[in-house]
Amino acid sequence: SVNLSPSAPPFGSVESQGEASSTPMSAQGTSIGGRPVVPDRSKKPNLAPAPDRSKKPNLAPAPAPRRAGEPSTPSVPVPADTAPSSTAPNGFRWLRVPADIPHKFLQYATANTQHNTEFCGILCGSLRQNIFYITHVIIPKQTSTSDSCTMLNEEDLFDVQDRHSLITLGWIHTHPSQTSFLSSVDLHTQFSYQVMMDEAVAIVCAPRYEQTGLYSLTRQGMQEIRSCKEKGFHPHAQHPPLFEECSHTLVQSDLSSTFVDLRN
């Protein structure tokens, strides 16, 4: 779960389950210059592996070993200039995702992961012929704890987006000691992106369990988070699910991503 201020077929290997009880952000759905900003979150509690998902437990045994950040489902070899249809099965526009993002991101996150602190970034790209492409991952200045990450100096992010004509397409963060899923804080963070653009996604990398998930909120999730005023870790209904693995993404090995590190 991250305090970002702006964690076919998805990467994810975890079942989408309703609420992963964590904490919502302290400010929900804010934006700067028309772009979604992930609000600050209240300090998250010490999470121990417990069966109750409301405390962000370890949800599943570690999967078979593979290279850290490697998607659990194979990338889709779809030519970059074609798409199966104009819209995905869920009615959203297609979002093409470079398969190299998780591995590259975890390399940038190495120091944080070693210190058991989260790490975050912003997914950016463009819209071409009614298809979204993630082309850049911007690493902002940030502060982190074992279960939170807060972006600093949002204006630096917007400067990069303006220079390269990039739009915000979602966010990415790590769960250094947990599995890949959306905590209640993450649900609120994702809402602030998805309320601005249906196709916005959340990528959650869990290096300890070698899992990477690509998620979006369900219709029920959007409704529930929209009306939720709670802050910090809190439970949400688990059925029907509030988030799911994305069905409008095409993870492609023939696309590559550019990383922009604003920390220095």
Side-chain angles (χ1 to χ4, degrees):
S1 324
V2 189
N3 297 359
L4 281 177
S5 158
S7 140
F11 295 109
S13 59
V14 173
E15 300 177 0
S16 43
Q17 305 178 23
E19 155 65 351
S21 134
S22 341
T23 312
M25 311 178 275
S26 49
Q28 303 172 16
T30 56
S31 65
I32 294 180
R35 300 184 179 88
V37 173
V38 182
D40 289 343
R41 303 174 181 176
S42 12
K43 184 178 180 181
K44 300 181 183 177
N46 237 348
L47 302 176
D52 183 358
R53 285 203 63 173
S54 67
K55 293 191 176 180
K56 205 174 178 183
N58 295 328
L59 303 179
R66 58 178 176 273
R67 187 180 71 168
E70 181 181 351
S72 57
T73 31
S75 60
V76 181
V78 182
D81 59 347
T82 63
S85 63
S86 57
T87 57
N90 60 2
F92 292 173
R93 287 167 289 188
W94 288 105
L95 174 64
R96 296 182 181 277
V97 184
D100 64 358
I101 287 180
H103 182 64
K104 285 183 177 179
F105 182 71
L106 286 175
Q107 290 180 319
Y108 280 90
T110 298
N112 287 58
T113 300
Q114 291 174 345
H115 289 88
N116 193 37
T117 57
E118 292 194 358
F119 190 73
C120 65
I122 309 300
L123 305 173
C124 301
S126 61
L127 176 65
R128 304 197 298 270
Q129 298 182 334
N130 209 37
I131 299 171
F132 287 109
Y133 292 79
I134 293 178
T135 57
H136 290 68
V137 178
I138 302 178
I139 307 299
K141 291 182 180 178
Q142 56 194 272
T143 59
S144 305
T145 69
S146 61
D147 50 20
S148 70
C149 182
T150 302
M151 186 175 86
L152 307 174
N153 300 352
E154 296 94 344
E155 57 279 359
D156 293 345
L157 165 70
F158 301 150
D159 285 345
V160 173
Q161 290 181 305
D162 289 341
R163 284 201 307 271
H164 297 281
S165 300
L166 299 172
I167 57 178
T168 301
L169 296 174
W171 59 299
I172 179 171
H173 76 288
T174 59
H175 283 178
S177 59
Q178 300 292 333
T179 53
S180 176
F181 68 102
L182 294 184
S183 69
S184 57
V185 174
D186 297 338
L187 293 175
H188 283 265
T189 300
Q190 175 60 17
F191 176 83
S192 71
Y193 286 96
Q194 206 168 323
V195 75
M196 302 291 290
M197 180 182 293
D198 290 337
E199 292 83 1
V201 298
I203 298 178
V204 183
C205 299
R208 178 177 177 181
Y209 291 87
E210 298 183 331
Q211 296 174 340
T212 300
L214 210 168
Y215 307 114
S216 61
L217 299 187
T218 61
R219 180 172 299 183
Q220 177 65 26
M222 291 294 291
Q223 292 175 350
E224 178 154 339
I225 301 304
R226 186 189 302 273
S227 62
C228 178
K229 306 304 179 187
E230 296 288 334
K231 301 185 186 301
F233 282 98
H234 59 281
H236 281 291
Q238 296 192 17
H239 301 287
L242 301 188
F243 71 94
E244 63 187 358
E245 293 184 332
C246 297
S247 61
H248 66 288
T249 52
L250 296 171
V251 180
Q252 295 183 227
S253 56
D254 60 338
L255 298 178
S256 62
S257 58
T258 297
F259 278 65
V260 180
D261 192 344
L262 300 179
R263 293 173 296 168
N264 302 316

